[in-house]
Amino acid sequence: MPKVFVFDHPLIQHKLTYIRDVNTGTKEFRELVDEVATLMAFEITRDLPLEETEVETPVQLTKSKVLAGKKLGIVPILRAGIGMIDGILKLIPAAKVGHIGLYRDPETLQPVEYYVKLPADVAERDFILVDPMLATGGSAVEAVNSLKKRGAIHIKFMCLIAAPEGVEALQKAHPDVDIYIAALDEKLNDHGYIVPGLGDAGDRLFGTK
Ligand code: URA
């Protein structure tokens, strides 16, 4: 079964409180999401493999460690996922960035791909799929489908706030995808918003309504 990791670091929890606050304006909201994304990137990369190398310090030759294993790809789900990219890239500047755009079919209510652009070497990378909100899980499940269809093997999903319904749906559809969140909220309301949540992440990031 996939694992669910809740990042309870005090800095993440503190900043998340102000992200949730209805009185936080667009500029501050954006900055806070960026900061939390950086902190989450620090945590989510904790298990990256290392290998030993040699380095010559000004004092002597010594053994030291560098990252080994596959390179990383970061994939925001459009559009709100974009708000977390710069924060992640501050820690992993060499990562390549793909994009996945989905819309909800008005008849089936299922998410449908309208845009997918990924690094050419998909199978050679480990992926972090990013969306601030894991609500019903429909978009996350479809985005993982899109990645897998194109050859991605190892995928982590990262979001700020998840609803239990979304976690369950993603776990069920993709038991191999670990889920990393800053907070697991209570439920979804009748409009598909996470309760208590933070409202519409895209609108709050981009100042739209
Ligand atoms: N998407 C959002 O932006 N907010 C929610 O609460 C649910 C889905």
Side-chain angles (χ1 to χ4, degrees):
M1 274 308 274
K3 292 184 275 297
V4 180
F5 299 90
V6 182
F7 292 146
D8 58 358
H9 191 290
L11 286 175
I12 294 178
Q13 294 305 313
H14 174 86
K15 290 173 193 293
L16 188 61
T17 299
Y18 292 97
I19 287 174
R20 288 185 189 275
D21 190 338
V22 67
N23 295 310
T24 298
T26 304
K27 174 178 179 286
E28 200 187 345
F29 185 91
R30 223 177 256 156
E31 289 167 354
L32 286 163
V33 169
D34 183 76
E35 289 167 15
V36 170
T38 304
L39 293 166
M40 291 185 78
F42 183 73
E43 299 277 4
I44 206 170
T45 49
R46 202 172 267 288
D47 63 350
L48 290 184
L50 291 168
E51 66 187 7
E52 204 160 73
T53 185
E54 284 193 333
V55 61
E56 178 137 26
T57 79
V59 180
Q60 69 166 49
L61 192 65
T62 187
K63 291 193 191 314
S64 195
K65 296 197 168 130
V66 289
L67 290 172
K70 287 188 177 178
K71 292 182 180 160
L72 293 175
I74 318 294
V75 179
I77 300 178
L78 302 178
R79 74 184 155 142
I82 288 175
M84 298 176 77
I85 290 306
D86 286 350
I88 298 171
L89 290 176
K90 277 183 196 131
L91 290 193
I92 320 169
K96 296 215 169 149
V97 179
H99 293 85
I100 295 182
L102 304 163
Y103 72 91
R104 185 186 290 223
D105 184 300
E107 275 168 23
T108 66
L109 300 182
Q110 293 307 306
V112 180
E113 274 178 23
Y114 69 83
Y115 184 80
V116 179
K117 188 81 182 171
L118 301 176
D121 52 354
V122 174
E124 313 306 319
R125 291 183 181 267
D126 289 337
F127 283 90
I128 304 175
L129 182 63
V130 185
D131 196 346
M133 310 300 275
L134 178 59
T136 62
S139 300
V141 168
E142 193 50 40
V144 174
N145 285 339
S146 294
L147 280 172
K148 286 185 174 173
K149 222 164 40 187
R150 291 167 176 84
I153 297 155
H154 191 251
I155 303 164
K156 293 175 174 177
F157 182 81
M158 170 171 149
C159 68
L160 297 182
I161 300 178
E165 296 89 331
V167 169
E168 197 184 325
L170 184 53
Q171 285 191 314
K172 197 166 161 216
H174 296 291
D176 54 320
V177 173
D178 290 339
I179 303 169
Y180 298 79
I181 64 187
L184 180 61
D185 275 10
E186 219 176 283
K187 59 176 180 182
L188 290 178
N189 70 14
D190 293 343
H191 304 286
Y193 280 95
I194 298 178
V195 179
L198 53 72
D200 186 300
D203 281 346
R204 296 199 62 194
L205 272 167
F206 299 110
T208 50
K209 254 277 178 277

